[in-house]
Amino acid sequence: MKPAAFDYHAPATLDQALDLLRNHGEEARILAGGQSLVPTMAFRMARPSVLVDINRISALAYTKAEGNSLRIGALARHAWFETPVAAGPVGALLAQVAHSIAHAPIRQRGTFCGSLAHADPASEWCATVLALGGTLLLAGPDGRREIAAADWFQGVFTTAIEPGEMLAEVRLPLLDPGWRCGFAEFSRRAGDFALTMAVVAIRIEDGGMREVRIALGGIGGRPELASRAAALLIGQPPSAAIAREAAACAAADCDPQDDIHAPADYRRDLVRSMVRRALTQAFAA
């Protein structure tokens, strides 16, 4: 099939893009990488009457380590992260995650911020930003506003973005060397959407875990934190036994979806395995 008819605009500045969004409201959609939007348009699952192509806005194509944050612009491509864009555990984690995203041609074109804006429950970047406690910077008709990753995801392909806004930047904390990260996902074939994934970030001090975040993706309508499993690890030294216990806790607490790709019980078992693997990886870092 072919997309329904639409008007095409290619602004050269962010202000021009925001003017188009303001003028056309909910009829307009942003085009960055297009790896999710274009297929849905081709099948006419999405029918925007106006397409705002931001690829000529060179000011949005960046990753910058500034102070204690990694700033990621709206045109940063998945492939940029295949080699660490920052020193330390966050750069290493992003590189590991990037290699698990789809296939090489998609990684060359798709964007980090586009994944967050699309909010696919099986997106690796969505779970990663949630695990790291990232912040999203929105640009809109009333200026700029920030929203925490925990408040961004509201349901399947649904976020806290308001009409006329666009996601201009994501900021991730640049964790110090006391932090360790891990990532594990399961898909039927390389490049397929993950049925389940786990991303963990742990701060270890004096032999014990002092801060822990565990994010799960691919199991429901949005990524979620395994808060009780994380709390179980606080104060404990890293060990295979405590990883198994936390993984079992995460599996017991989650409410995975039952669909054509996998039954809920299968996904729950995958949660147990992926959390254990991600924790084991972090412990060994």
Side-chain angles (χ1 to χ4, degrees):
M1 294 181 66
K2 300 296 183 182
F6 59 87
D7 292 332
Y8 174 82
H9 300 271
T13 68
L14 178 58
D15 285 341
Q16 290 174 3
L18 294 175
D19 285 342
L20 287 164
L21 293 178
R22 181 173 60 251
N23 292 337
H24 296 285
E26 295 184 1
E27 295 299 316
R29 293 290 297 274
I30 293 288
L31 174 67
Q35 301 306 290
S36 299
L37 177 60
V38 171
T40 58
M41 289 176 63
F43 284 104
R44 301 204 175 187
M45 298 169 64
R47 302 172 66 119
S49 61
V50 176
L51 210 56
V52 180
D53 185 344
I54 64 171
N55 282 283
R56 296 184 186 180
I57 308 176
S58 58
L60 296 177
Y62 61 86
T63 62
K64 302 175 183 177
E66 292 187 356
N68 295 322
S69 295
L70 174 64
R71 297 175 56 196
I72 301 169
L75 290 179
R77 312 291 173 178
H78 302 316
W80 294 11
F81 299 89
E82 292 180 9
T83 55
V85 296
V90 169
L93 174 65
L94 297 180
Q96 180 186 3
V97 173
H99 284 282
S100 297
I101 296 173
H103 300 282
I106 291 175
R107 294 198 295 271
Q108 292 294 328
R109 190 65 185 171
T111 63
F112 188 103
C113 289
S115 288
L116 274 291
H118 186 55
D120 190 311
S123 162
E124 287 87 353
W125 290 142
C126 290
T128 301
V129 171
L130 182 61
L132 294 175
T135 301
L136 292 83
L137 179 64
L138 299 168
D142 298 322
R144 309 294 190 263
R145 71 182 179 105
E146 296 182 359
I147 185 167
D151 299 321
W152 175 249
F153 305 102
Q154 298 191 344
V156 182
F157 305 117
T158 306
T159 70
I161 197 165
E162 297 290 343
E165 291 183 324
M166 66 169 281
L167 177 56
E169 180 179 289
V170 173
R171 295 176 183 171
L172 301 177
L174 284 174
L175 306 178
D176 64 48
W179 285 83
R180 303 179 185 181
C181 299
F183 168 75
E185 74 170 20
F186 178 84
S187 55
R188 298 192 185 280
R189 297 172 300 182
D192 280 4
F193 286 107
L195 296 179
T196 299
M197 71 186 71
V199 186
V200 304
I202 301 166
R203 183 174 68 86
I204 297 178
E205 183 180 332
D206 297 329
M209 290 176 270
R210 306 305 173 193
E211 296 181 65
V212 180
R213 293 178 66 89
I214 302 172
L216 307 176
I219 64 170
R222 57 185 176 182
E224 59 187 60
L225 293 172
S227 300
R228 194 167 71 93
L232 186 69
L233 295 173
I234 298 296
Q236 300 292 326
S239 70
I242 196 64
R244 287 194 298 270
E245 188 176 349
C249 179
D253 285 354
C254 71
D255 185 21
Q257 63 186 6
D258 194 342
D259 58 25
I260 61 173
H261 302 293
D265 286 345
Y266 182 56
R267 276 196 167 92
R268 184 174 290 105
D269 192 53
L270 285 175
V271 167
R272 181 183 296 105
S273 296
M274 294 306 105
V275 171
R276 179 179 56 80
R277 291 180 189 181
L279 287 172
T280 301
Q281 184 184 115
F283 292 169

